[in-house]
Amino acid sequence: MTVTEIDTTTQASDDTVTQAVRDARTASEWWAELTFEQRARRLDRWRGIIARRASELADVVHRDMGKPHPDAMLEIAMALEHLVWASKNARNVLGRRSVRSSLLTVNQAASVEYRPLGVIGVIGPWNYPVFTPLGSLSFSLAAGNAVVYKPSEFAPAVGQWLVRAFAEVVPEHPVLQVVTGDGSVGAALCLAGVDKIGFTGSTATGKKVMAACAGTLTPVLMECGGKDALILDADGDVGAAADAAVWGALSNSGQTCLGVERVYVHEQVYDEFIDKTITLAARVHAGPGVEDKIGPITMPSQVAVIRRHIDDAVSRGGRVVLGGLGSISGQYVQPTIMVDVPEDSLAVTEETFGPTMTITKVASMDEAVELVNASPYALGASVFGKDGVAVADRLRSGGASVNSYVMYAAVPNLPLGGVGASGFGRVHGPDGLKEFTYARSMTRQRFRSPLPLTTFRRTARIDWLVKVLIRALHGRH
Ligand code: NDP
């Protein structure tokens, strides 16, 4: 497969989507019959192909959505960590295991296993077109499902590349398929008879997906938008926090669900933090060249959103201390830092998805926690300070990194996902595997119960014994 063979224009019809799901149904039965080890071997070979051709895949990412090649390589490296975790751990997490029975059910051997749902529809965004969908694709597949994947129309080639690479190691059946096109293809996938939708994208689209899936009671995983904050306490490492804020806000041109868009800094270190952050951010330039650290804003419409947020902040008294409206040229937005921005400004309340951040002075960590928790979004957060864990414990967010940025998304054992407007359900880790399964409980009677309860042969003496047991087991509390 070469990059030039990839078709980036096809708009799949509703019939094509429905047929893909039908084909996936047959494929899912075959795939689910394989053992965990057999599936793991295929997933490992897929991983090998992605790793060996990572540079080619990074080129495809760059062409699709403009991310610099080294950042695409980093994304691939992180995605592979999760892929190997899923294939290695699927049996342990999902395979049948015995559980204890109780006094009343002492004659039963009880067990639970997590079975594949069947066919998963995965709808992905363009901003991390390898890392993000693989969180759903690899975990669905490792759990024994077939998948029909609808990539973003801004990253169709990456989706096709991944699916074709998979077909090289699983040529027998279309266990992983791709359907390309605009949002209407995603809408069709919701109605095509899948057993679950794994959605990653904006909160607004997530609501549409949920509404479409409600009609058939199709479950959904919602990985939606964020408005993540970084908090710096008076005793935190100012240099490390500035470095994390700059990377968190600017990398991928700020087009990161977990990007740092708001920073709350203790007044004692505020001025020092501002100086350090401006110095570091001023070294980052957005442009098309290999020397440019960040690329373009991928979706043309997003530039208008970024403009609106900066404009709104300034009109409400905010001050631009780096970048700003004048630094926007076409699809390129230079790093923009704003201070004194009121908390009800768009730049604080809505996802900007650009290389911008607001920095706000706080008098205490109580104030910082209150302001961070005021957002309906609750995906991730970073805290720098000696009591960072205690501060992070008070934040409402799906993940928190203390004295670093976003590391909870990189540890393969940890689940990733949000709360509130950031969605629900989890990718990665054990929760990420279970997300694409259903729990199946089983009991096997080992001997006849000395207390036959569920029968009309039950005697008055047994009824009396039940009363005694209720008091003995629960009445002392
Ligand atoms: P969108 O919500 O615009 O699109 C996401 C996906 O949904 C795309 O494939 C899109 O197709 C598709 N889609 C559009 N309309 C519909 C519809 N009516 N029914 C079904 N599917 C539809 O998000 P973006 O692609 O712009 O991605 C950026 C967003 O994703 C940000 O909000 C970001 O925070 C979030 N995100 C969240 C992550 C998380 O882990 N929580 C990770 C990464 C991103 P098309 O593109 O062709 O229109």
Side-chain angles (χ1 to χ4, degrees), residues 11 122-128 131-132 149-155 180-190 197 199-206 208-209 212 222-227 255-258 299 302 351 353 377 379 416-418 422-423 427:
Q11 171 77 18
V122 172
I123 300 175
W126 48 265
N127 59 339
Y128 288 85
F131 179 77
T132 299
Y149 174 40
K150 166 10 196 152
S152 165
E153 64 190 292
F154 295 99
T180 53
D182 62 18
S184 65
V185 178
L189 186 56
C190 295
I197 287 286
F199 172 80
T200 309
S202 63
T203 303
T205 309
K208 290 186 197 163
V209 167
M222 286 284 140
E223 296 286 344
C224 300
K227 190 74 191 172
Q255 303 166 116
T256 304
C257 51
L258 301 160
M299 285 196 307
Q302 196 64 28
E351 190 176 42
F353 232 52
Y377 293 105
L379 203 47
L416 177 69
S422 292
V427 293

Side-chain angles (χ1 to χ4, degrees), residues 42-76:
R42 305 293 185 109
L43 290 170
D44 285 346
R45 286 173 55 205
W46 189 33
R47 177 162 59 96
I49 291 181
I50 297 171
R52 286 191 296 279
R53 300 187 203 153
S55 193
E56 178 189 316
L57 177 57
D59 282 343
V60 180
V61 171
H62 175 69
R63 282 181 213 188
D64 253 0
M65 52 74 67
K67 180 181 301 204
H69 188 99
D71 284 358
M73 290 298 276
L74 186 61
E75 177 182 344
I76 294 166

